[in-house]
Amino acid sequence: MVEPSRAVAPIRTGRVELRGVGVAYEIFGEGALALLLLPPWSITHSRFWKAQVPYLARHFRVVTFDPVGNGRSDRPTRAEDYAVGLDVERTLAVLEEARVDRWVMVAHCAAAPLALLLAANHAERVAGALFMSPALPLTPGLPERTGIDFESELPEYEGWAKKNRNYWRRDFRGYLEFFHGRCFTEPHSSKQIEDGVGWGLEGSGETLALTVGAPELGLDAVHELLGRLQCPLLVTQGDEDSLIPRDRGAAFADATGAQLVELKGVGHCPNARYPVYFNLLVREFAERCFSGTRSI
Amino acid sequence: MRARYADEQGHVESDGLRIFYELYDNDAPTLLMMPPIAFSHSRIWKGAVPFLSRHFRVLTFDGRGNGKSDRPSQPSAYGPEQFMADALIVMDHTATERAIVVVLGPRAICGVRLAVDHPERVAGLALLAPDLFADREFAEAWRTGPQDHYSGFAAFNPHLMRTDWPAFLDAWSRVMFPHPHSSRQTEDMIAYGLETDGDTFVASTRGTRYPPRQTVLELAARLRCPCVVTQWGHPMWPVRTSDAFAEASGSPLVIFDGLGPAVTSRWPVATNLLLREFADSIRDRREPCYERWNRPDVRAEVRGLT
């Protein structure tokens, strides 16, 4: 096992503390315009963006942070500490530390509610938002992921039944391998799966279970927030996504007027599997959002 | 889909055979990427061309025996002289007066001969994991008869190649790509291999005609252009097959410890940065510096430079 090496080092790292919970952040690049790459879920951490940061940091100031429950952030033991409202406060605190007043953000999957709250409630500061396979209840979830019993002991844990508190306690790695196998259905994804499992193991099943019980945004709240979005929006959706149904991106675009980028033959994580394509998309989108803007 | 498409491509005729070339144009010195061993072809450079062509003019061609070039059946069509002649015809056709020649593995002798016999055409010579001497680890497998079972170096067996070419490619891909996360490179290697056949490959290997060690070292001593020798510090091609050449030619030897054997495919960034530094140093008439890839997983040990 070799030490991981990084193509670019942060210009600054630090922690913010909010109500006794610490969040670790990193800032890359000297650009005048800020890009915020949100952590998708506590199953992973900021290294999820490893293929974006080195390129985008040449063009922007890139801000990343680890979610509570993974990476170098704290692992609070109460479910209420994982509420999305607190994530908003933490994100704003990180941006304060980074001296970023205005930003474009990228939100993958379960980060969508956080991005939605930021964009709707801090509209003057959000220059644009790019959503990837948004985990918002705009269309029915995949049948195989619907009606999963997270709490009960089950006779067997096949497929998505592995999303179960008891299974996580016994074989969290088994869940991580299954989960990342679904994230990366494209061939030649062994490295991405290995990375994802490794980052997942920096957290734990017990911690991740707290996020499952955390309060969520309801459908009405989601629609209310979507109706208030003002910034330029873009949504990507892979047609071979095995976590989020393929009609989700179009539904998001219908509800918001976002630019829709449908990716043929692509699964859940285009950033990791098609980084060059994805990075160019983010750069082009962010430059368009910032056009006319001179600095942070 | 390719990250970069050729600006010019076509066939030249050499010795009555059609040889396919591609030119990635640039107002800069030319890198001539020589063809690899005949189970592969010019697409072996797919990880190198898009990067290198931003900095240099890059010329590739398919070696006789695979790709879009013809496949003669006699071993005598595959000698170093023939590959050298193909390279010169491709250079003439593309108005390439001089080139920095990059050559990989068992075709290294073709690059060495090109540089020694035609010094006015070769501005520099980069030998990547050169396989210059006949005393290779798998030479024994080449000489043995049919076996019941083939794995590892034992797969380099002409009987297996001729009777079950896909089985050879499958077995050899495991030798070439022992590292995790090589599924794409393995798939490419097998696909390129399936573009030719076992009889052609056996003929091409017979025609390689490894000169005696002493002859190779004499050629090394006659080299006049800048040269760099890389080796992967991997048991398949031990450093000793390269260090003698580096020493005899007075060239630096860069060892990528623990990688390989197919570093050009599996760690293209390491190869690309090395080739860029080599070519830049020739253009700028300065000493090269090969120390910069010392990452935890790519340790470049440099010998022969003060």
Side-chain angles (χ1 to χ4, degrees), chain B residues 226-249:
Chain B
C227 177
V228 62
V229 184
T230 69
Q231 197 47 267
W232 312 138
H234 186 272
M236 184 170 167
W237 284 298
V239 170
R240 64 179 167 75
T241 66
S242 304
D243 59 0
F245 188 94
E247 196 181 331
S249 62

Side-chain angles (χ1 to χ4, degrees), chain B residues 79-143:
Chain B
E81 300 79 9
Q82 279 75 21
F83 283 94
M84 200 158 61
D86 295 349
L88 290 169
I89 288 170
V90 168
M91 287 176 74
D92 290 345
H93 183 79
T94 54
T96 308
E97 203 177 313
R98 298 190 89 198
I100 294 164
V101 173
V102 182
V103 65
L104 172 70
R107 293 258 178 270
I109 190 65
C110 308
V112 173
R113 288 284 306 273
L114 196 57
V116 170
D117 295 356
H118 301 273
E120 74 289 356
R121 309 295 299 270
V122 179
L125 177 65
L127 300 175
L128 307 179
D131 181 9
L132 287 159
F133 309 125
D135 55 349
R136 298 176 295 165
E137 269 26 41
F138 47 94
E140 190 60 32
W142 179 253
R143 289 190 288 265

